[in-house]
Amino acid sequence: MAVILVPVNLMPLFFLDQPQGELIAALAITGMALNLPIMMAARGMSGTMALPHLLCWVPLVIVVAGMLSAADTLNPNYFRFLWLLMIVDVISLVFDVRDAAHWMRNRKAG
């Protein structure tokens, strides 16, 4: 996870000067940064870590999808990066939805 997810979600820092670059960086990095207190409180990984991803990366994916629809106006390297970011974060979100649902069911049962 950390080998792909963290580097890809830090890469927007290289594209701050591109269209929506600052917003994309803020959403990508905040989705990870909000997990630091959760990891510290849980002393490791927790299903709760899905919640910041859902909060930040769903809007991120929406913004990126909109950007990709304007492909002809984007720098080719930025365009390729946006595809990579979207693919990685959508895959993560699939697992995050499952983890968040599991966490919520356990919370209601407890």
Side-chain angles (χ1 to χ4, degrees), residues 42-89:
R43 295 186 179 171
M45 303 293 237
S46 164
T48 314
M49 293 173 66
L51 300 177
H53 290 172
L54 293 172
L55 178 70
C56 297
W57 289 355
V58 168
L60 172 65
V61 166
I62 292 167
V63 169
V64 170
M67 297 298 299
L68 290 171
S69 69
D72 55 332
T73 64
L74 298 176
N75 172 307
N77 290 329
Y78 187 50
F79 177 77
R80 284 188 290 275
F81 161 69
L82 290 175
W83 267 112
L84 174 65
L85 180 65
M86 183 141 106
I87 291 166
V88 167
D89 285 354

